[in-house]
Amino acid sequence: MTATRRSPGHESGHPDISKVVLTPSQLQAKCKKLGARITKENQGRELILVVVLKGAFMFCSDLVRHVDLPVQIDFLAVSSYGDSTRSSGTVRIVKDLQKDVLGADVLLVEDIVDTGLTLAYLRTMLLDRRPRSLTTCALLSKSVCREVEVPVEYIGFDVPDEFLVGYGLDYGQRYRNLPFIGVLRPEMYRDEPQG
Ligand code: IMP
Ligand code: MG
C-alpha cells in the first residue's frame, strides 16, 4: 500500500477520492451473485466472454470465477472517452477479437453503461458477425444518463451520475488499481474542456 492511500482524513484513504461508493466486499458479493445467475441461465451452453478493455478487466476476472460453465475468454479494446469524463460518442476499436463469434453464445462484459453509445456500437458490430446469442453483463449502469436504448441483461449496480473510478474504472488511465469504486473529487477534472 502506498503512502497516499493511507493518508488520514479521507473515508477512502485516497486523497483524490471523495467517497467510497462500492466496497471490495460489495463488489465480490455481486460477482458471486451475477456469476450464479449467468451459470443458471446459460445451462448447456459454452459462452464466449468478450471482455471490453480496459475498464472491465478486473470485474471479469472476479466474475468468471463464479461462472460454472465451459467458457472461452476474448478481449476487445475500445476507446470512447479519450481522457475526458464525458462520452465523445465516437467509439474506436483499438483491439479486435482473436476469434470468430459466428454461431457462438457471446456474453459481452462491460464495466459501466453510461450514455449507452459504446454498448450500442459494440452490439451492432458483434451482431453483424452472427453469433447464436448476444447478451451483456455490466457491473455498473448509470441509467439516468442513457441516450440510446440498449439491452443489458445482467446489471450489477445502478449508480447515480457521478464520475467513478477504481476496480478497473479510470480517469486519464489512473485509479484502475483501487480495490473499491469511489467518486473522483471534481477538482481533479474540473479544468478540462467540456463538450
Ligand atoms: P457510454 O458510451 O457513455 O455508455 O460510456 C461507456 C464507457 O465510458 C465505459 O465503458 C467507461 O469506459 C466510460 N465511463 C462512463 N462513465 C464512467 C465513469 O463514471 N468513470 C469511468 N469511466 C466511465
Ligand atoms: Mg470502458
Side-chain angles (χ1 to χ4, degrees):
M1 209 178 236
T2 62
T4 50
R5 284 206 206 178
R6 275 201 304 264
S7 72
H10 304 284
E11 194 196 332
S12 67
H14 193 297
D16 303 352
I17 309 297
S18 58
K19 70 172 183 228
V20 175
V21 173
L22 296 164
T23 64
S25 61
Q26 285 176 305
L27 292 164
Q28 292 309 317
K30 189 60 79 173
C31 286
K32 193 171 174 187
K33 209 164 156 188
L34 286 172
R37 234 189 96 196
I38 290 166
T39 302
K40 191 165 161 218
E41 293 174 13
N42 290 279
Q43 285 297 310
R45 292 180 175 168
E46 172 163 3
L47 294 180
I48 298 187
L49 265 60
V50 171
V51 185
V52 185
L53 296 175
K54 299 172 191 170
F57 84 99
M58 205 178 282
F59 171 47
C60 188
S61 77
D62 286 337
L63 175 72
V64 76
R65 290 168 227 234
H66 300 287
V67 178
D68 188 12
L69 295 169
V71 298
Q72 296 182 34
I73 299 182
D74 207 341
F75 299 94
L76 260 181
V78 299
S79 164
S80 59
Y81 264 38
D83 284 341
S84 155
T85 58
R86 291 271 144 226
S87 185
S88 63
T90 319
V91 180
R92 201 160 51 90
I93 301 292
V94 179
K95 180 211 169 299
D96 206 340
L97 297 176
Q98 269 178 1
K99 281 197 62 173
D100 194 3
V101 295
L102 177 70
D105 291 305
V106 174
L107 177 66
L108 194 56
V109 182
E110 258 285 24
D111 51 358
I112 180 165
V113 183
D114 182 4
T115 62
L117 292 167
T118 306
L119 181 57
Y121 179 93
L122 291 177
R123 277 183 48 87
T124 304
M125 185 190 91
L126 290 170
L127 287 171
D128 271 354
R129 300 178 186 187
R130 305 196 4 243
R132 189 166 75 156
S133 66
L134 176 62
T135 49
T136 300
C137 178
L139 175 63
L140 307 174
S141 172
K142 285 184 187 170
S143 53
V144 293
C145 299
R146 210 69 96 242
E147 288 176 20
V148 288
E149 245 184 75
V150 63
V152 187
E153 287 76 8
Y154 304 96
I155 294 177
F157 303 93
D158 200 67
V159 290
D161 183 16
E162 290 177 303
F163 197 76
L164 304 174
V165 294
Y167 197 66
L169 295 165
D170 75 306
Y171 174 65
Q173 300 302 326
R174 298 179 64 207
Y175 310 108
R176 294 193 196 275
N177 58 324
L178 300 179
F180 55 83
I181 292 179
V183 178
L184 187 63
R185 288 186 186 284
E187 57 265 36
M188 301 309 297
Y189 58 78
R190 80 181 156 203
D191 290 337
E192 76 174 23
Q194 294 293 308

